[in-house]
Amino acid sequence: MKIALLGYGRMGKAIEKIALEKGHTIVLRVEENNRAQCQDEQLAEADVAIEFSAPAVAVGNYRWCFENGVPVVSGTTGWLEKWEEVMAYCQEKQGGFFYASNFSVGVNLFFHLNQYLAKIMGRFSDYKVYIEETHHIHKLDKPSGTAITLAQGILDNHPGYKRWQLVHEAEMAEDVLPVKAKREGEVPGIHVITYKSGVDEIEIRHSAFSREGFAQGAVLAAEFMKGKRGVFGMDDLLSI
């Protein structure tokens, strides 16, 4: 399979390594300093594009792929306020789009565990829930896309919470789910959900040891997307 890498930072290089090990070919590498030199014909040569860039350029990259008939797999976070715009353009161009806030198989199982626990804990108002995520100091968005997905999973299943909010000094309303974001060293990603009462607490946690799990999932998604149109996510890939 021929792959275009839109974003060639740490994740792009990790994806490249796994893709090459699996026998795929990288036909285009787009990074911050060479985008203006990259031509439509180069992108169109790819069977699939894998996009891990930055929030400011992600939507433009999606549009570029849709316009050239190349399905795109993206893990860039921080752009979701433009989701409807991207969906409309994908449909207009009959494009293929695969998005995940996290491509780790383990994290996606964790998403479902989080939803299940929230549904159970909604019956017990003595327990208050909060989310804490920790990532490396290079991560631009705060909180992480994974934390936002976890928060939405709780909101969809727990009647006691109506919205989430990033933790700050001010007091929060009872129906607001607190999300704390920490940036430390080179941490690949830690996400913790805690339910705490006056007498005990319940905690579920996912810790990534490296970027390899994310890169493996992104390559699996690219293999899944070859020749496809429409919008897909990790639940489609994993048949959950």
Side-chain angles (χ1 to χ4, degrees), residues 22-222:
K22 297 185 75 171
H24 302 307
T25 303
I26 308 301
V27 296
L28 180 63
R29 297 170 181 83
V30 178
E31 51 191 320
E32 183 179 0
N33 298 323
N34 75 342
R35 172 64 181 91
Q37 287 76 49
C38 296
Q39 305 298 313
D40 289 354
E41 293 78 10
Q42 295 173 284
L43 176 64
E45 187 181 346
D47 297 307
V48 181
I50 302 180
E51 203 276 348
F52 277 78
S53 62
V57 299
V59 172
N61 285 337
Y62 306 152
R63 294 175 70 92
W64 189 33
C65 290
F66 300 153
E67 289 162 1
N68 286 279
V70 179
V72 56
V73 171
S74 179
T76 302
T77 56
W79 60 272
L80 291 179
E81 72 279 359
K82 297 184 177 179
W83 177 265
E84 295 301 329
E85 172 191 328
V86 171
M87 292 302 97
Y89 203 65
C90 180
Q91 183 176 17
E92 178 186 334
K93 296 296 183 180
Q94 296 185 321
F97 187 62
F98 187 113
Y99 179 73
S101 60
N102 194 306
F103 281 87
S104 161
V105 172
V107 164
N108 281 274
L109 297 175
F110 189 64
F111 287 154
H112 284 268
L113 177 61
N114 171 59
Q115 293 166 14
Y116 181 67
L117 182 58
K119 189 174 296 185
I120 295 172
M121 297 305 293
R123 298 161 47 200
F124 302 96
S125 59
D126 287 348
Y127 287 87
K128 303 303 179 185
V129 60
Y130 60 91
I131 298 173
E132 181 175 290
E133 60 97 342
T134 307
H135 279 87
H136 52 84
I137 59 174
H138 313 287
K139 187 167 181 59
L140 298 177
D141 54 321
K142 185 187 289 189
S144 67
T146 301
I148 292 172
T149 300
L150 289 165
Q152 192 59 51
I154 293 170
L155 297 181
D156 290 344
N157 290 280
H158 194 303
Y161 294 93
K162 303 304 180 187
R163 61 187 178 90
W164 65 266
Q165 182 175 313
L166 195 63
V167 170
H168 53 68
E169 296 301 320
E171 288 291 323
M172 290 189 181
E174 284 291 313
D175 64 352
V176 174
L177 170 62
V179 180
K180 184 175 183 180
K182 298 163 65 177
R183 298 291 174 262
E184 299 177 355
E186 297 296 331
V187 177
I190 300 170
H191 294 85
V192 183
I193 314 293
T194 302
Y195 287 84
K196 187 174 184 178
S197 74
V199 296
D200 60 6
E201 68 181 22
I202 300 167
E203 180 180 288
I204 59 173
R205 172 190 183 103
H206 181 276
S207 300
F209 300 146
S210 72
R211 293 183 179 85
E212 186 174 345
F214 312 134
Q216 287 175 343
V219 175
L220 285 174

